[in-house]
Amino acid sequence: MASSPNSPSGGGVLVGSLQAKAVPLASVAATLATVLLSYAIATSLGHVPVWLPMISDCAVEAPEMFVFRYGMIVSAVVLGLNVFVVYNATKASYSLPRVCSGLGAVAAFSLGMLTVVNEDEDNSVHSSFAVVFFFAYNVYMLIISKNSSSDLRVSVSSLNIKRTTSVLLFFDLIVFVLMSFHWTKYKVAIAVAEWLGFIFIEIFNLTFIGDLGYTRVEEVTAMSIAAIKMLPRQESQSEWGFA
């Protein structure tokens, strides 16, 4: 198998001349930039209160709606690409259930759709896709967290962050659903829960940057299982995971 010039001995996952870790980095950067810029514009123009609007409230009026719409469409596409890259990069050390990547793809699609239809245009459609996005991606996170312990490229710190954010998001969504039955009473608390869920997802996605390490994006070929097994956990942490 071909190996990238920057990969450790034993080969690496090739997906192109682009390092695969650039995909989760681009995903997180695009999402954070879009949401925070939309929030900044909406609050500065008095369209939403500073403390605290729902994220979707920052995508209703012009000009922030255009920033949010186009920015989040890009984010959804890159998130889908990240699901694809992670699925192929993990084939060598463990096989993710296909349903896992399917859930990730559904979440990415739902993120794009909730962006295309804002809450003022059709709140039922927007809200439905938002619910599917959060719950589908949370299950995706939980499955990744469970299976990542088999991958020697994933450092202990990366694994712990995955597990922590996955579980926190799970309970955050439960609280969100319970409070939503009394929306008026808990409006601000619901917004806090949504922002926390958003933060948990972005922190989780950041862990892929360290996991993918020297992986490159050319043709998707996985590092041989034998090569990965030769790497002790200690070395794996320093070369593939977080320092």
Side-chain angles (χ1 to χ4, degrees):
M1 288 189 185
S3 62
S4 75
N6 295 326
S7 65
S9 59
V13 182
L14 296 180
V15 195
S17 57
L18 173 71
Q19 284 197 351
K21 65 182 179 181
V23 178
L25 178 60
S27 174
V28 173
T31 306
L32 285 176
T34 298
V35 171
L36 294 179
L37 182 58
S38 299
Y39 170 80
I41 296 173
T43 53
S44 65
L45 294 177
H47 294 165
V48 296
V50 175
W51 182 262
L52 185 69
M54 298 290 290
I55 295 175
S56 299
D57 293 344
C58 302
V60 176
E61 298 189 50
E64 62 267 21
M65 66 180 294
F66 301 111
V67 174
F68 191 91
R69 178 162 296 179
Y70 296 116
M72 291 305 285
I73 288 174
V74 172
S75 299
V77 171
V78 182
L79 181 64
L81 178 59
N82 188 62
V83 170
F84 172 78
V85 169
V86 169
Y87 174 76
N88 284 280
T90 57
K91 282 182 178 179
S93 51
Y94 66 92
S95 295
L96 281 174
R98 288 189 177 182
V99 67
C100 179
S101 294
L103 286 167
V106 167
F109 174 77
S110 298
L111 178 61
M113 291 303 298
L114 71 87
T115 300
V116 171
V117 182
N118 70 38
E119 58 189 38
D120 268 17
E121 294 167 337
D122 193 323
N123 188 52
S124 60
V125 172
H126 175 84
S127 299
S128 296
F129 278 114
V131 170
V132 173
F133 165 70
F134 275 107
F135 280 94
Y137 205 75
N138 187 213
V139 177
Y140 172 79
M141 290 165 62
L142 289 166
I143 296 174
I144 290 280
S145 300
K146 180 179 182 297
N147 287 272
S148 291
S149 59
S150 302
D151 192 342
L152 293 180
R153 294 170 299 175
V154 178
S155 69
V156 174
S157 58
S158 175
L159 183 59
N160 288 338
I161 292 172
K162 284 183 176 66
R163 289 173 172 171
T164 301
T165 52
S166 300
V167 172
L168 286 175
L169 178 60
F170 176 77
F171 286 107
D172 179 69
L173 292 176
I174 291 177
V175 172
F176 181 95
V177 170
L178 293 175
M179 290 191 298
S180 66
F181 290 107
H182 305 280
W183 193 278
T184 304
K185 181 178 181 180
Y186 297 111
K187 185 176 181 179
V188 174
I190 291 171
V192 171
E194 184 188 37
W195 280 91
L196 284 175
F198 164 71
I199 292 170
F200 294 148
I201 288 174
E202 297 313 305
I203 293 175
F204 178 90
N205 289 340
L206 279 173
T207 64
F208 291 127
I209 297 173
D211 298 344
L212 293 172
Y214 298 99
T215 305
R216 299 185 73 80
V217 184
E218 260 163 18
E219 58 182 89
V220 181
T221 59
M223 175 185 283
S224 68
I225 296 175
I228 289 180
K229 287 184 176 179
M230 289 173 62
L231 290 173
R233 172 69 69 174
Q234 185 82 22
E235 179 183 349
S236 171
Q237 289 176 21
S238 61
E239 299 224 29
W240 293 98
F242 292 103

